[in-house]
Coordinates of all heavy atoms in Angstrom, one line a residue:
M13 N -0.1 11.6 -2.2 CA -0.3 11.0 -3.4 C -1.1 11.9 -4.3 O -1.8 12.8 -3.9 CB -1.0 9.6 -3.2 CG -2.6 9.7 -2.9 SD -3.3 8.1 -2.6 CE -3.4 8.3 -0.8
N14 N -1.0 11.7 -5.6 CA -1.7 12.6 -6.6 C -3.0 11.9 -7.0 O -3.3 10.7 -6.5 CB -0.8 13.0 -7.8 CG -0.4 11.7 -8.5 OD1 -1.1 10.7 -8.6 ND2 0.8 11.8 -9.2
A15 N -3.7 12.5 -7.9 CA -5.1 11.9 -8.3 C -4.9 10.6 -8.9 O -5.7 9.7 -8.7 CB -5.8 12.9 -9.2
E16 N -3.9 10.3 -9.8 CA -3.8 9.0 -10.4 C -3.4 8.0 -9.4 O -3.9 6.9 -9.4 CB -2.7 9.1 -11.5 CG -2.5 7.8 -12.2 CD -3.7 7.1 -12.8 OE1 -4.6 7.8 -13.3 OE2 -3.7 5.9 -12.8
E17 N -2.5 8.3 -8.5 CA -2.1 7.3 -7.4 C -3.3 7.0 -6.6 O -3.5 5.9 -6.1 CB -1.0 7.9 -6.6 CG 0.3 8.0 -7.4 CD 1.3 8.8 -6.7 OE1 1.0 9.7 -5.9 OE2 2.6 8.6 -6.9
A18 N -4.1 8.1 -6.4 CA -5.3 7.9 -5.5 C -6.3 6.9 -6.1 O -6.9 6.1 -5.5 CB -6.0 9.3 -5.3
R19 N -6.5 7.0 -7.5 CA -7.3 6.0 -8.1 C -6.8 4.6 -7.9 O -7.6 3.6 -7.7 CB -7.4 6.3 -9.6 CG -8.4 7.4 -9.9 CD -8.6 7.6 -11.4 NE -7.6 8.4 -12.1 CZ -7.4 9.7 -12.1 NH1 -8.3 10.4 -11.4 NH2 -6.4 10.3 -12.7
Q20 N -5.5 4.4 -8.1 CA -4.9 3.1 -7.8 C -5.1 2.6 -6.4 O -5.4 1.4 -6.2 CB -3.4 3.1 -8.2 CG -3.2 3.4 -9.7 CD -1.8 3.6 -10.0 OE1 -0.8 3.5 -9.2 NE2 -1.5 4.0 -11.3
V21 N -4.8 3.5 -5.4 CA -5.0 3.1 -4.0 C -6.5 2.8 -3.8 O -6.8 1.8 -3.1 CB -4.6 4.3 -3.1 CG1 -5.0 4.1 -1.7 CG2 -3.1 4.5 -3.2
D22 N -7.4 3.5 -4.3 CA -8.9 3.2 -4.1 C -9.2 1.8 -4.7 O -9.9 1.0 -4.0 CB -9.7 4.3 -4.9 CG -11.2 4.1 -4.6 OD1 -11.5 4.0 -3.4 OD2 -11.9 4.0 -5.6
A23 N -8.6 1.5 -5.9 CA -8.9 0.2 -6.5 C -8.3 -1.0 -5.5 O -9.0 -2.0 -5.3 CB -8.3 0.1 -7.9
V24 N -7.2 -0.7 -5.0 CA -6.6 -1.8 -4.1 C -7.4 -1.9 -2.9 O -7.7 -3.0 -2.4 CB -5.1 -1.4 -3.8 CG1 -4.5 -2.3 -2.7 CG2 -4.2 -1.5 -5.0
L25 N -7.8 -0.8 -2.3 CA -8.6 -0.9 -1.0 C -9.9 -1.7 -1.3 O -10.3 -2.5 -0.5 CB -8.9 0.5 -0.5 CG -7.7 1.4 0.0 CD1 -8.2 2.7 0.4 CD2 -7.0 0.7 1.1
R26 N -10.5 -1.4 -2.4 CA -11.8 -2.1 -2.8 C -11.6 -3.6 -3.0 O -12.3 -4.4 -2.5 CB -12.4 -1.4 -4.0 CG -13.0 -0.1 -3.7 CD -13.6 0.5 -5.0 NE -14.0 1.9 -4.8 CZ -15.1 2.4 -5.2 NH1 -15.9 1.7 -5.9 NH2 -15.3 3.7 -5.0
R27 N -10.5 -3.9 -3.7 CA -10.2 -5.3 -4.0 C -9.9 -6.1 -2.8 O -10.3 -7.2 -2.6 CB -9.0 -5.4 -5.0 CG -8.7 -6.8 -5.5 CD -7.7 -6.8 -6.6 NE -6.4 -6.2 -6.2 CZ -5.9 -5.2 -6.8 NH1 -6.5 -4.7 -7.9 NH2 -4.7 -4.6 -6.5
L28 N -9.3 -5.4 -1.8 CA -8.9 -6.1 -0.5 C -10.0 -6.0 0.5 O -9.9 -6.6 1.6 CB -7.6 -5.6 0.0 CG -6.4 -5.9 -0.9 CD1 -5.1 -5.2 -0.2 CD2 -6.1 -7.3 -1.0
G29 N -11.1 -5.3 0.2 CA -12.2 -5.1 1.2 C -11.8 -4.2 2.3 O -12.4 -4.4 3.5
I30 N -10.9 -3.2 2.2 CA -10.5 -2.4 3.2 C -11.3 -1.1 3.1 O -11.4 -0.5 2.1 CB -9.0 -2.1 3.1 CG1 -8.2 -3.3 3.3 CG2 -8.6 -1.0 4.2 CD1 -6.8 -3.2 3.0
H31 N -12.0 -0.7 4.2 CA -12.7 0.5 4.3 C -11.9 1.8 4.2 O -10.9 1.9 4.8 CB -13.6 0.6 5.6 CG -14.4 1.9 5.7 ND1 -15.5 2.1 5.0 CD2 -14.2 3.0 6.5 CE1 -16.0 3.3 5.3 NE2 -15.2 3.8 6.2
G32 N -12.3 2.7 3.4 CA -11.6 4.0 3.3 C -12.1 4.8 2.1 O -12.6 4.2 1.1
V33 N -12.1 6.1 2.2 CA -12.5 7.0 1.1 C -11.3 7.8 0.7 O -10.7 8.5 1.5 CB -13.6 8.0 1.6 CG1 -14.0 8.9 0.5 CG2 -14.8 7.2 2.1
V34 N -10.9 7.6 -0.5 CA -9.7 8.3 -1.0 C -10.2 9.7 -1.6 O -11.1 9.7 -2.5 CB -9.0 7.5 -2.2 CG1 -7.7 8.2 -2.6 CG2 -8.7 6.1 -1.6
A35 N -9.6 10.7 -1.1 CA -10.1 12.1 -1.4 C -9.0 13.1 -1.3 O -8.0 12.9 -0.6 CB -11.3 12.5 -0.6
P36 N -9.1 14.2 -2.0 CA -8.1 15.3 -1.9 C -8.1 15.9 -0.5 O -9.2 16.0 0.1 CB -8.4 16.2 -2.9 CG -9.8 16.0 -3.4 CD -10.1 14.6 -3.0
E37 N -6.9 16.2 0.0 CA -6.9 16.9 1.3 C -7.8 18.2 1.3 O -8.5 18.4 2.2 CB -5.5 17.4 1.6 CG -4.6 16.2 2.0 CD -3.1 16.6 2.4 OE1 -2.8 17.8 2.3 OE2 -2.3 15.7 2.6
D38 N -7.7 18.9 0.2 CA -8.5 20.1 0.0 C -9.6 19.8 -1.0 O -9.3 19.6 -2.2 CB -7.7 21.3 -0.5 CG -8.5 22.5 -0.7 OD1 -9.7 22.6 -0.5 OD2 -7.9 23.6 -1.2
P39 N -10.8 19.6 -0.5 CA -11.9 19.2 -1.5 C -12.0 20.1 -2.7 O -12.6 19.6 -3.7 CB -13.1 19.2 -0.6 CG -12.7 19.2 0.8 CD -11.3 19.8 0.8
E40 N -11.5 21.3 -2.7 CA -11.7 22.2 -3.8 C -10.4 22.2 -4.7 O -10.4 22.9 -5.7 CB -12.0 23.6 -3.2 CG -13.3 23.6 -2.5 CD -13.9 24.9 -2.3 OE1 -13.5 25.8 -3.1 OE2 -14.9 25.0 -1.5
N41 N -9.5 21.3 -4.4 CA -8.2 21.3 -5.1 C -7.9 19.8 -5.5 O -7.1 19.3 -4.8 CB -7.1 22.0 -4.4 CG -5.8 22.0 -5.2 OD1 -5.8 21.7 -6.4 ND2 -4.7 22.3 -4.5
A42 N -8.5 19.3 -6.5 CA -8.2 18.0 -6.8 C -6.8 17.7 -7.4 O -6.3 16.6 -7.5 CB -9.2 17.5 -7.9
A43 N -6.1 18.8 -7.7 CA -4.7 18.7 -8.2 C -3.7 18.6 -7.0 O -2.6 18.3 -7.3 CB -4.4 19.9 -9.1
G44 N -4.2 18.8 -5.8 CA -3.3 18.8 -4.7 C -3.1 17.4 -4.1 O -3.6 16.4 -4.8
P45 N -2.6 17.2 -3.0 CA -2.4 15.9 -2.4 C -3.6 15.2 -1.9 O -4.6 15.9 -1.6 CB -1.4 16.1 -1.2 CG -1.5 17.6 -0.9 CD -2.0 18.3 -2.2
W46 N -3.6 13.9 -2.0 CA -4.8 13.1 -1.6 C -4.5 12.2 -0.4 O -3.3 11.9 -0.2 CB -5.2 12.2 -2.8 CG -5.8 12.9 -4.0 CD1 -5.2 13.9 -4.7 CD2 -7.1 12.7 -4.6 NE1 -6.1 14.3 -5.7 CE2 -7.2 13.6 -5.6 CE3 -8.1 11.8 -4.3 CZ2 -8.4 13.6 -6.4 CZ3 -9.2 11.8 -5.1 CH2 -9.4 12.8 -6.1
R47 N -5.5 11.8 0.3 CA -5.3 10.9 1.5 C -6.4 10.0 1.6 O -7.4 10.0 0.8 CB -5.3 11.8 2.8 CG -4.5 13.0 2.8 CD -3.0 12.7 3.0 NE -2.8 12.2 4.3 CZ -1.6 11.6 4.7 NH1 -0.7 11.5 3.8 NH2 -1.5 11.1 5.9
V48 N -6.4 9.1 2.5 CA -7.5 8.0 2.8 C -8.2 8.5 4.1 O -7.5 8.8 5.1 CB -6.9 6.6 2.9 CG1 -8.1 5.7 3.1 CG2 -6.1 6.2 1.7
Y49 N -9.5 8.7 4.0 CA -10.3 9.1 5.1 C -11.3 8.1 5.5 O -11.6 7.2 4.7 CB -11.0 10.4 4.7 CG -10.1 11.5 4.4 CD1 -9.8 11.9 3.1 CD2 -9.4 12.2 5.4 CE1 -8.9 12.9 2.8 CE2 -8.6 13.3 5.1 CZ -8.3 13.6 3.8 OH -7.4 14.6 3.5
D50 N -11.9 8.2 6.7 CA -12.9 7.3 7.2 C -14.2 7.5 6.6 O -15.0 6.6 6.5 CB -12.9 7.2 8.7 CG -13.3 8.6 9.3 OD1 -13.2 9.7 8.6 OD2 -13.6 8.7 10.5
T51 N -14.5 8.8 6.2 CA -15.8 9.1 5.6 C -15.6 10.1 4.4 O -14.5 10.7 4.4 CB -16.8 9.7 6.6 OG1 -16.3 10.9 7.0 CG2 -17.1 8.8 7.8
A52 N -16.6 10.3 3.7 CA -16.5 11.3 2.6 C -16.7 12.7 3.0 O -16.3 13.6 2.3 CB -17.5 10.9 1.5
D53 N -17.4 12.9 4.1 CA -17.8 14.3 4.6 C -16.5 15.1 5.0 O -15.8 14.7 6.0 CB -18.7 14.2 5.8 CG -19.2 15.5 6.3 OD1 -18.8 16.6 5.6 OD2 -19.9 15.6 7.2
P54 N -16.1 16.1 4.3 CA -14.9 16.9 4.6 C -15.0 17.5 6.0 O -13.9 17.8 6.5 CB -14.8 17.9 3.5 CG -15.8 17.5 2.4 CD -16.8 16.6 3.0
E55 N -16.1 17.8 6.5 CA -16.3 18.4 7.8 C -16.0 17.5 9.0 O -15.5 17.9 10.0 CB -17.7 18.9 8.0 CG -18.0 20.0 6.9 CD -17.2 21.2 7.0 OE1 -16.9 21.7 8.1 OE2 -16.8 21.8 5.9
T56 N -16.3 16.2 8.8 CA -16.1 15.3 10.0 C -15.1 14.2 9.7 O -14.9 13.3 10.6 CB -17.5 14.6 10.3 OG1 -17.9 13.9 9.1 CG2 -18.5 15.7 10.6
R57 N -14.5 14.1 8.6 CA -13.6 13.0 8.2 C -12.4 13.0 9.0 O -11.9 14.0 9.5 CB -13.3 13.0 6.7 CG -12.5 14.1 6.3 CD -12.3 14.2 4.8 NE -11.4 15.3 4.4 CZ -11.2 15.6 3.1 NH1 -11.8 14.9 2.2 NH2 -10.4 16.6 2.8
K58 N -11.8 11.8 9.2 CA -10.5 11.6 9.9 C -9.5 10.9 8.9 O -9.9 10.0 8.2 CB -10.8 10.7 11.1 CG -9.5 10.4 11.9 CD -9.9 9.5 13.0 CE -8.6 8.9 13.5 NZ -8.8 7.7 14.4
D59 N -8.4 11.4 8.9 CA -7.3 10.8 8.1 C -6.9 9.4 8.6 O -6.5 9.3 9.7 CB -6.1 11.7 8.0 CG -5.0 11.2 7.1 OD1 -5.1 10.1 6.5 OD2 -4.0 12.0 6.9
V60 N -7.1 8.4 7.7 CA -6.8 7.0 8.1 C -5.8 6.4 7.1 O -5.8 5.2 7.0 CB -8.1 6.1 8.3 CG1 -8.9 6.6 9.4 CG2 -8.8 6.1 7.0
T61 N -5.0 7.3 6.5 CA -4.1 6.8 5.5 C -3.1 5.8 6.1 O -2.9 4.7 5.5 CB -3.2 8.0 4.9 OG1 -4.2 8.9 4.4 CG2 -2.3 7.5 3.8
A62 N -2.5 6.0 7.2 CA -1.6 5.1 7.8 C -2.2 3.8 8.2 O -1.7 2.7 8.0 CB -1.0 5.7 9.1
D63 N -3.5 3.8 8.7 CA -4.2 2.6 9.1 C -4.5 1.8 7.8 O -4.5 0.6 7.8 CB -5.5 2.9 9.8 CG -5.3 3.6 11.1 OD1 -4.2 3.3 11.7 OD2 -6.2 4.3 11.6
A64 N -4.9 2.5 6.7 CA -5.2 1.8 5.5 C -3.9 1.1 4.9 O -4.0 0.0 4.5 CB -5.7 2.8 4.4
L65 N -2.7 1.8 5.0 CA -1.5 1.1 4.6 C -1.2 -0.1 5.4 O -0.8 -1.2 4.8 CB -0.4 2.1 4.7 CG 1.0 1.6 4.4 CD1 1.1 1.1 2.9 CD2 2.1 2.7 4.5
V66 N -1.4 -0.1 6.7 CA -1.1 -1.2 7.6 C -2.1 -2.3 7.2 O -1.7 -3.5 7.1 CB -1.3 -0.8 9.1 CG1 -1.4 -2.1 10.0 CG2 -0.2 0.1 9.5
A67 N -3.3 -2.0 6.9 CA -4.3 -3.0 6.5 C -3.9 -3.7 5.2 O -4.1 -4.9 5.0 CB -5.7 -2.5 6.4
V68 N -3.4 -2.9 4.2 CA -3.0 -3.4 3.0 C -1.8 -4.4 3.1 O -1.8 -5.5 2.6 CB -2.6 -2.3 1.9 CG1 -1.9 -2.9 0.7 CG2 -3.9 -1.6 1.5
V69 N -0.9 -4.0 3.9 CA 0.3 -4.8 4.2 C -0.2 -6.2 4.9 O 0.3 -7.2 4.5 CB 1.4 -4.1 5.0 CG1 2.4 -5.0 5.5 CG2 2.0 -3.0 4.3
A70 N -1.1 -6.1 5.8 CA -1.5 -7.2 6.6 C -2.3 -8.2 5.6 O -2.2 -9.4 5.8 CB -2.5 -6.8 7.7
K71 N -2.9 -7.7 4.6 CA -3.7 -8.6 3.7 C -2.9 -9.0 2.5 O -3.4 -9.8 1.7 CB -4.9 -7.9 3.2 CG -6.0 -7.7 4.4 CD -7.3 -7.3 3.8 CE -8.3 -7.3 4.9 NZ -9.7 -7.5 4.4
T72 N -1.6 -8.6 2.4 CA -0.8 -8.9 1.3 C -0.1 -10.3 1.6 O 0.6 -10.3 2.6 CB 0.2 -7.8 1.0 OG1 -0.5 -6.6 0.6 CG2 1.1 -8.2 -0.3
P73 N -0.2 -11.3 0.7 CA 0.4 -12.5 1.1 C 1.9 -12.4 1.0 O 2.5 -11.7 0.2 CB -0.1 -13.5 0.0 CG -0.8 -12.7 -1.0 CD -1.0 -11.3 -0.4
R74 N 2.6 -13.1 1.9 CA 4.0 -13.1 2.0 C 4.5 -14.4 1.4 O 3.9 -15.4 1.6 CB 4.5 -13.1 3.4 CG 4.1 -11.9 4.3 CD 5.1 -10.8 4.1 NE 4.8 -9.7 5.0 CZ 4.0 -8.7 4.7 NH1 3.4 -8.6 3.6 NH2 3.9 -7.8 5.6
P75 N 5.6 -14.3 0.6 CA 6.1 -15.5 0.0 C 6.7 -16.5 1.1 O 7.2 -16.0 2.1 CB 7.2 -15.1 -1.0 CG 7.5 -13.7 -0.5 CD 6.3 -13.2 0.2
D76 N 6.5 -17.7 0.9 CA 7.1 -18.7 1.8 C 8.6 -18.8 1.6 O 9.0 -19.1 0.5 CB 6.4 -20.1 1.6 CG 6.9 -21.1 2.6 OD1 7.8 -20.9 3.4 OD2 6.3 -22.3 2.5
P77 N 9.4 -18.5 2.6 CA 10.8 -18.5 2.4 C 11.4 -19.8 2.0 O 12.4 -19.9 1.4 CB 11.4 -18.0 3.7 CG 10.3 -18.0 4.7 CD 9.0 -18.1 4.0
R78 N 10.7 -20.9 2.4 CA 11.1 -22.3 2.0 C 11.0 -22.5 0.5 O 11.6 -23.4 0.0 CB 10.3 -23.3 2.8 CG 10.6 -23.2 4.3 CD 9.6 -24.2 5.0 NE 8.3 -23.6 4.9 CZ 7.2 -24.2 5.3 NH1 7.3 -25.3 5.9 NH2 6.1 -23.6 5.2
S79 N 10.1 -21.7 -0.1 CA 10.0 -21.9 -1.6 C 10.9 -21.0 -2.4 O 10.8 -21.0 -3.6 CB 8.5 -21.6 -2.0 OG 8.2 -20.3 -1.9
A80 N 11.8 -20.3 -1.7 CA 12.7 -19.4 -2.5 C 13.7 -20.3 -3.3 O 14.1 -21.4 -2.9 CB 13.5 -18.6 -1.5
H81 N 14.1 -19.8 -4.4 CA 15.0 -20.5 -5.3 C 16.3 -20.1 -4.9 O 16.7 -19.0 -4.6 CB 14.7 -20.1 -6.8 CG 13.3 -20.5 -7.2 ND1 12.9 -21.8 -7.4 CD2 12.2 -19.7 -7.4 CE1 11.6 -21.7 -7.8 NE2 11.2 -20.5 -7.8
G82 N 17.3 -21.1 -5.0 CA 18.7 -20.9 -4.7 C 18.9 -21.3 -3.3 O 18.1 -21.6 -2.5
P83 N 20.2 -21.2 -2.9 CA 20.7 -21.5 -1.6 C 20.0 -20.6 -0.5 O 19.9 -19.4 -0.8 CB 22.1 -21.4 -1.6 CG 22.5 -20.6 -2.8 CD 21.3 -20.7 -3.7
T84 N 19.7 -21.1 0.6 CA 19.2 -20.3 1.7 C 20.2 -20.1 2.8 O 20.0 -19.3 3.6 CB 17.9 -20.9 2.2 OG1 18.0 -22.2 2.6 CG2 16.7 -20.8 1.1
R85 N 21.1 -21.1 2.9 CA 22.2 -21.0 3.9 C 23.5 -21.5 3.2 O 23.5 -22.2 2.2 CB 21.9 -22.0 5.1 CG 20.7 -21.8 5.7 CD 20.7 -22.8 6.9 NE 19.5 -23.6 6.8 CZ 19.2 -24.7 7.4 NH1 20.1 -25.2 8.2 NH2 18.1 -25.3 7.2
G86 N 24.5 -21.2 3.9 CA 25.9 -21.7 3.5 C 26.6 -20.7 2.7 O 26.3 -19.5 2.7
F87 N 27.6 -21.1 2.0 CA 28.5 -20.3 1.3 C 28.6 -20.7 -0.1 O 28.4 -21.9 -0.4 CB 29.9 -20.3 1.9 CG 30.0 -19.8 3.3 CD1 29.9 -20.7 4.4 CD2 30.1 -18.5 3.6 CE1 30.0 -20.3 5.7 CE2 30.2 -18.0 4.9 CZ 30.1 -19.0 5.9
V88 N 28.9 -19.8 -1.0 CA 29.1 -20.1 -2.4 C 30.6 -20.0 -2.6 O 31.3 -19.0 -2.4 CB 28.4 -19.1 -3.3 CG1 28.8 -19.4 -4.8 CG2 26.9 -19.2 -3.1
V89 N 31.2 -21.2 -2.9 CA 32.6 -21.3 -3.1 C 32.9 -21.4 -4.6 O 32.5 -22.4 -5.2 CB 33.2 -22.5 -2.4 CG1 34.7 -22.6 -2.5 CG2 32.8 -22.4 -0.9
P90 N 33.6 -20.5 -5.2 CA 33.9 -20.5 -6.6 C 34.9 -21.7 -6.9 O 35.7 -22.0 -6.0 CB 34.5 -19.2 -7.0 CG 35.0 -18.7 -5.6 CD 34.2 -19.3 -4.6
P91 N 34.8 -22.3 -8.1 CA 35.7 -23.4 -8.4 C 37.1 -22.9 -8.5 O 37.4 -21.7 -8.9 CB 35.2 -23.9 -9.7 CG 34.4 -22.8 -10.3 CD 33.9 -22.0 -9.2
T92 N 38.1 -23.8 -8.3 CA 39.5 -23.4 -8.4 C 39.9 -23.8 -9.8 O 39.2 -24.5 -10.5 CB 40.4 -24.2 -7.4 OG1 40.2 -25.6 -7.7 CG2 40.0 -23.9 -6.0
D93 N 41.0 -23.2 -10.3 CA 41.5 -23.4 -11.7 C 42.5 -24.5 -11.7 O 43.4 -24.5 -12.5 CB 42.1 -22.1 -12.2 CG 41.0 -21.0 -12.5 OD1 39.9 -21.4 -12.6 OD2 41.4 -19.9 -12.4
D94 N 42.3 -25.6 -10.9 CA 43.3 -26.7 -11.0 C 43.1 -27.6 -12.1 O 42.2 -28.1 -12.6 CB 43.2 -27.5 -9.6 CG 43.7 -26.7 -8.5 OD1 44.4 -25.7 -8.7 OD2 43.4 -27.1 -7.3

């Protein structure tokens, strides 16, 4: 992800209460790719981007399939021209 996407990811993590530090892979190159880490310290941090994504998905509400609009089973039969 780039710096703008990283800002958006950071906002989502904070809003959902998910721990993670969004930072560039190379601390001296903010224009390069960014990841989610467990701590801010570049010397000891661990990449937890995949774990953060799983946590976001787990906290995202799923729509109830019973509330879907339209038919959920069966066939749609077009009218005949009789």
Side-chain angles (χ1 to χ4, degrees):
M13 78 185 102
N14 62 31
E16 177 56 33
E17 293 166 330
R19 281 189 280 281
Q20 295 172 6
V21 168
D22 185 56
V24 169
L25 293 178
R26 287 178 191 224
R27 186 173 52 241
L28 295 176
I30 299 170
H31 177 74
V33 176
V34 184
E37 287 180 2
D38 178 0
E40 302 201 12
N41 181 14
W46 290 57
R47 310 286 294 168
V48 180
Y49 297 100
D50 60 344
T51 66
D53 182 4
E55 300 297 320
T56 61
R57 68 187 183 185
K58 176 184 165 198
D59 184 354
V60 294
T61 304
D63 295 335
L65 178 59
V66 168
V68 168
V69 170
K71 290 194 174 201
T72 302
R74 301 272 191 270
D76 183 354
R78 295 173 292 175
S79 67
H81 299 288
T84 56
R85 307 184 232 165
F87 299 94
V88 176
V89 180
T92 60
D93 291 335
D94 290 345

